[in-house]
Amino acid sequence: MALRRLLALSLLLAGAVAPGQARAGEARLTADDFTARVAPVLERRCGHCHGAQRQEGGLRLDSFAGLVAGGDSGPAIVPGSLAESLLARAVLRRDETLLMPPAEALPADELALVTAWIEAGAPHPGGSLEPPPPLPPFDPVAERAHWSFTPVVRPAVPVVAGAADPIDAFVRQALAAVGVEPTGPADRATLLRRVTFDLTGLPPSADEVAAFLADESPDAFARVVDRLLDSPHYGEHWARHWLDVVRYADSNGLDENVAHGTAWRYRDWVIASLNEDLPYDRFLRRQVAGDLLTTPDTPAAERNALFVATGFLVLGPKVLAEGDQAKLAADVVDEQVDTLSRAFLGLSFGCARCHNHKFDPVSQADYAALAGIFTSTRSMESLARIARWQENVVATPEALAAHAEATAAVEARKGAVAAELASARGAVAAAGTDPATVAEETLPEEVRQRLTALRAAVAEAERAVVPLDTAMGVVEGTPADARIAIRGDHLVPGRRVPRGVPVVLEIDGPLAIPPAASGRRELADWLADPRHPLTARVIVNRVWRWHFGRGIVATTDNFGRLGDRPVNQPLLDWLAAELVDSGWSLKALHRRILLSAAWQRSSTAADSPTAARALEVDPDNHLAWRATVRRLEAESIRDSLLAVGGTLDRSMGGSLLHVANRAFLFDHTSIDGTRYDAPRRSIYMPVIRNHIQDCLWLFDCTDGAVPCGDRGTSTVPSQALWLLNGELVLGVAERIATSVLAATPGDGVPRPLLLFRRVLGRSPTAAEERLVAEAVARITARLAEAGTPPAGREAAAWTAVAQGLLAGDEFLFVR
């Protein structure tokens, strides 16, 4: 009996009688059939665990209300859809986590009956079993009271004595509430060094310092800000901040660390966009849906840039050797959803893949709504091991034309080979035989020689075909709503959810996504809507953090319930409203912040009239009553060393990867051949996941694995060891010493002055000159005692003194 039942079930699943398919001549099932035929099967096979006395998993199948309600995992029946009906999946035993009945499969005839009833629309005497639209597991209206979900309303600027600037008015109002007076302004040299690093990530030159100190005009500092914002180095430095947020890397990392050989085009696009002050709303839109913003009239260069911008969605790490292609696809989408929510909204949606968010009003249905947008987007060219991400052609019209011409030449020469071969075969083929059966080696020698020459011409033409430029990015895929994954398992799909955005963040109701579209354009428009409660707040908070060292909301990537509340929400909301009203100009935001007294304060606590009170109530400077002393970021340390050493190559753009796109960066020896000795700015150095450049990793740069809007600052012994023994530091110190010693005594410029101007951009004090002279003398004497030849003593002494300055606080920190 068991064997016959298994055979019948096998035939059924193989198509002899497909589930849900009525047998020949059998009428479509009705509500009466449910009562007479289907209900007894459910009672007999399922009633023990899902009946009146017991409801495992919250599921009851012996009542109309129970069938409609479903269980803890979702609706048991979706009329007309076997794939979405958990009852169908259970009885069909299509995955190991959902086998019902547990002991053995339904008999083939009962299985066919139940599935046919579901496919017929699950008719029931009680009415439709269509599950009602599920309600969110929270009250959206109540949840919108959370501070970051409320609409941004420009607050009135308070009237505060001594505060002419709106930023200063809000800051001083908060300080007055706790009885604190801020410090006064920093000295001009400190301000110039601070603003130059803030905007360009490079130190000011000695000439720039001297020029600024000599300029006593009231707008001298404002003109410095404008000069720095116009510098191409502004885009390089601030692009590095943004690349942290979007987890940029030049390799995949994880299991198959292959090269992101065209990711640099996205990096260069970010630099160019920031330099041209592309409005932030357009900056955002292009990264989410740039490929959908083109028209037939879009110039080729702009079209290519729009496609390059979508590289944002493809940069994440992927398990390229994943054997389960459905899981890989789900993982790619999950990474996109989480990155987008963190980068633009300051929220984490990732945990809602498996369950409703434990703290924020984001349900699994909300997650599935967003996931559907990216499921409908083509991000991968192939999911087969080793998977390949999507690349879009971004060649110039001239390159496209040349490629088409070269490809046509290849095809023409291949045609000549085919024609010669066909002609020769036809000439020797016996009557009534197929010429194609004639073996080539039987052709006359002169024919074979001609074929060899023609094939050589084909090979030559193929070598002349220059590959078209491509860039990581996305395009539209096949539109499809995503299903909730029960417990996050892609093998146990629940109900399908229309594409959209989290209910609590809807602006004018659900997104109106055309059926034939992925929804990315609508998603981008929703993110960039001026009424969105999060978008402007999140980016102005990021900018504030990168200028002050701490955000108004300290948790820059978490504006949810577990994140910190803003220490000054009126200020945050005023800045957000100001950004939108300025046309989303980030340069205008920088200018507004940098010209405020709040940013220009001294970092010395004693400069505050209420220093004791300030240190008591706000020791960590959350309210910005003074400037915060900050160590330079990793890239600025390296770039500054190259700059003062006189070797910094300021050329922009391009790739420094040593391998081709998608090539492996590690061989069987696990040795990475990437070189970091090019004197380019650090933003152009390859970011190799799992193997970051030592000097950058030591000083807390990110590895591009996950979004990071708030780098930490560590103090560890290995940093000091690198400053003492690192080849870069030693080489820079030697070059500085050589240049100092090259100055002749007749020049009238003391060597300590040359040294300080070169390294710190200022003149030494009398005490510092004396210390330098004493150090050089002491080191020279010790080298003489050690037997060092006279020619090398002075150079070694000045090298050591230069290295001391390079490793000092004044070089490594901004005050």
Side-chain angles (χ1 to χ4, degrees):
M1 174 66 72
L3 181 60
R4 287 200 304 271
R5 183 172 295 171
L6 181 60
L7 178 60
L9 180 59
S10 299
L11 290 172
L12 174 70
L13 296 177
V17 181
Q21 176 182 328
R23 294 178 177 81
E26 184 174 305
R28 187 176 179 86
L29 296 176
T30 66
D32 290 340
D33 290 314
F34 172 80
T35 302
R37 301 168 60 191
V38 179
V41 171
L42 297 179
E43 174 63 29
R44 182 167 61 254
R45 305 293 183 183
C46 312
H48 178 69
C49 298
H50 303 286
Q53 303 302 317
R54 185 177 172 192
Q55 297 90 40
E56 287 195 5
L59 176 62
R60 182 173 179 177
L61 298 176
D62 66 338
S63 71
F64 173 74
L67 288 168
V68 171
D72 297 341
S73 297
I77 297 169
V78 176
S81 175
L82 293 181
E84 295 177 88
S85 298
L86 292 179
L87 176 62
R89 293 189 63 83
V91 298
L92 287 168
R93 308 174 81 82
R94 286 180 174 167
D95 61 70
E96 296 180 357
T97 66
L98 198 63
L99 303 176
M100 297 295 162
E104 60 177 341
L106 290 179
D109 56 341
E110 294 181 359
L111 181 64
L113 176 65
V114 171
T115 55
W117 170 70
I118 293 174
E119 285 205 321
H124 191 284
S128 172
L129 291 180
E130 187 73 38
L135 296 174
F138 49 79
D139 180 356
V141 174
E143 293 294 343
R144 290 184 185 119
H146 178 62
W147 74 266
S148 66
F149 301 153
T150 60
V152 175
V153 177
R154 178 188 284 267
V157 178
V159 177
V160 180
D165 182 89
I167 290 177
D168 296 324
F170 286 111
V171 170
R172 292 189 70 114
Q173 182 184 55
L175 291 174
V178 294
V180 170
E181 283 287 323
T183 61
D187 66 82
R188 300 187 81 213
T190 296
L191 276 183
L192 183 66
R193 178 175 168 83
R194 187 191 299 173
V195 74
T196 307
F197 271 113
D198 251 24
L199 289 181
T200 70
L202 293 170
S205 68
D207 289 342
E208 288 170 340
V209 174
F212 177 62
L213 295 181
D215 186 351
E216 298 181 356
S217 59
D219 63 343
F221 186 73
R223 285 189 284 106
V224 166
V225 170
D226 288 339
R227 172 177 63 81
L228 294 173
L229 287 173
D230 289 338
S231 165
H233 300 312
Y234 157 76
E236 291 174 323
H237 182 58
W238 280 80
R240 184 59 263 174
H241 290 318
W242 184 252
L243 296 182
D244 280 5
V245 173
V246 300
R247 67 354 181 177
Y248 175 88
D250 293 290
S251 80
N252 179 68
L254 296 182
D255 61 332
E256 308 296 331
N257 206 358
V258 297
H260 284 172
T262 64
W264 63 272
R265 298 186 193 279
Y266 171 82
R267 178 204 65 207
D268 287 358
W269 174 83
V270 173
I271 294 171
S273 297
L274 293 177
N275 273 332
E276 70 183 44
D277 198 20
L278 181 69
Y280 181 72
D281 59 336
R282 293 167 60 191
F283 182 68
L284 180 161
R285 279 190 176 97
R286 294 182 181 193
Q287 293 177 78
V288 177
D291 58 305
L292 303 177
L293 302 178
T294 64
T295 69
D297 297 327
T298 303
E302 183 180 344
R303 174 206 172 274
N304 290 341
L306 289 169
F307 274 83
V308 167
T310 66
F312 159 74
L313 292 171
V314 193
L315 288 167
K318 307 166 185 65
V319 182
L320 298 177
E322 172 62 64
D324 185 338
Q325 295 186 18
K327 181 179 185 299
L328 174 57
D331 289 345
V332 169
V333 168
D334 179 67
E335 199 275 340
Q336 291 171 325
V337 169
D338 197 49
T339 298
L340 178 131
S341 64
R342 289 175 185 265
F344 297 120
L345 302 178
L347 294 174
S348 174
F349 291 167
C351 60
R353 177 182 183 178
C354 301
H355 51 75
N356 296 331
H357 202 293
K358 298 297 184 183
F359 306 102
D360 295 332
V362 181
S363 67
Q364 268 195 290
D366 290 329
Y367 176 92
L370 274 172
I373 292 174
F374 296 109
T375 299
S376 304
T377 298
R378 179 178 168 88
S379 303
M380 302 293 291
E381 290 179 6
S382 170
L383 294 171
R385 187 185 289 135
I386 293 170
R388 295 166 62 88
W389 57 82
Q390 173 72 20
E391 295 260 350
N392 294 320
V393 173
V394 291
T396 64
E398 295 77 14
L400 289 170
H403 186 272
E405 182 179 348
T407 302
V410 171
E411 295 305 316
R413 294 186 182 187
K414 286 181 177 179
V417 172
E420 177 69 21
L421 185 58
S423 175
R425 282 172 167 168
V428 302
T433 62
D434 183 0
T437 63
V438 176
E440 188 173 327
E441 57 268 22
T442 65
L443 297 175
E445 176 64 21
E446 64 272 17
V447 172
R448 284 184 280 127
Q449 288 179 355
R450 286 198 300 272
L451 286 170
T452 299
L454 288 171
R455 285 175 176 142
V458 170
E460 180 183 4
E462 288 176 335
R463 288 192 294 272
V465 178
V466 178
L468 293 173
D469 289 339
T470 63
M472 303 177 77
V474 302
V475 291
E476 289 288 79
T478 302
D481 293 333
R483 293 191 178 96
I484 291 175
I486 306 303
R487 295 179 298 279
D489 189 345
H490 66 288
L491 298 174
V492 190
R495 65 180 177 86
R496 196 179 295 274
V497 179
R499 281 161 285 157
V501 298
V503 173
V504 76
L505 294 175
E506 289 177 350
I507 296 174
D508 292 321
L511 290 190
I513 298 175
S518 67
R520 274 186 299 118
R521 180 162 189 166
E522 291 73 22
L523 174 64
D525 290 343
W526 168 77
L527 286 167
D529 192 312
R531 298 170 295 168
H532 200 296
L534 286 165
T535 306
R537 279 179 173 135
V538 168
I539 188 59
V540 299
N541 187 67
R542 292 194 188 284
V543 172
W544 186 275
R545 181 261 177 262
W546 290 322
H547 278 306
F548 284 84
R550 185 186 191 279
I552 299 170
V553 179
T555 51
T556 55
D557 299 322
N558 189 350
F559 276 43
R561 294 195 179 280
L562 286 188
D564 288 357
R565 292 186 65 87
V567 295
N568 194 332
Q569 187 172 351
L571 171 60
L572 179 68
D573 286 358
W574 188 88
L575 288 170
E578 183 72 6
L579 175 68
V580 174
D581 291 347
S582 73
W584 297 87
S585 168
L586 292 179
K587 286 191 176 182
L589 178 62
H590 290 305
R591 192 175 293 106
R592 170 69 76 176
I593 290 173
L594 296 173
L595 296 181
S596 70
W599 184 85
Q600 296 180 26
R601 298 198 200 292
S602 163
S603 61
T604 303
D607 289 348
S608 166
T610 58
R613 172 67 178 167
L615 291 170
E616 176 188 354
V617 300
D618 188 20
D620 295 323
N621 195 30
H622 292 176
L623 298 177
W625 57 275
R626 58 181 170 85
T628 298
V629 177
R630 290 184 287 150
R631 195 197 70 205
L632 296 178
E633 291 175 330
E635 293 84 356
S636 287
I637 292 175
R638 178 183 175 276
D639 294 352
S640 296
L641 286 168
L642 293 173
V644 300
T647 61
L648 179 63
D649 178 354
R650 297 177 186 249
S651 59
M652 299 177 68
S655 173
L656 294 177
L657 279 174
H658 66 290
V659 299
N661 189 27
R662 296 194 174 102
F664 281 90
L665 285 153
F666 295 83
D667 60 14
H668 66 283
T669 64
S670 295
I671 297 175
D672 179 12
T674 305
R675 297 179 62 88
Y676 301 102
D677 52 0
R680 301 280 303 280
R681 289 206 67 177
S682 298
I683 192 169
Y684 300 116
M685 292 294 103
V687 178
I688 307 302
R689 290 183 177 131
N690 306 341
H691 194 246
I692 302 297
Q693 183 181 3
D694 286 346
C695 68
L696 299 183
W697 187 246
L698 281 171
F699 290 96
D700 309 303
C701 78
T702 69
D703 65 356
V706 296
C708 175
D710 189 26
R711 284 193 190 184
T713 301
S714 65
T715 302
V716 293
S718 50
Q719 294 167 347
L721 292 173
W722 183 81
L723 291 167
L724 285 171
N725 304 299
E727 291 183 7
L728 175 61
V729 182
L730 293 173
V732 169
E734 289 173 357
R735 282 189 290 274
I736 293 173
T738 299
S739 69
V740 169
L741 292 173
T744 62
D747 292 340
V749 181
R751 284 174 174 171
L753 175 60
L754 292 175
L755 176 65
F756 269 69
R757 282 174 58 85
R758 182 75 173 265
V759 177
L760 302 178
R762 66 173 178 86
S763 300
T765 64
E768 288 169 334
E769 283 198 58
R770 185 175 64 256
L771 287 172
V772 168
E774 292 173 354
V776 169
R778 187 167 56 253
I779 296 171
T780 302
R782 289 184 179 178
L783 290 173
E785 293 172 1
T788 303
R793 296 172 194 167
E794 192 174 32
W798 280 97
T799 296
V801 172
Q803 186 180 7
L805 288 184
L806 294 173
D809 283 357
E810 187 173 348
F811 184 79
L812 296 173
F813 285 77
V814 171
R815 298 191 174 276

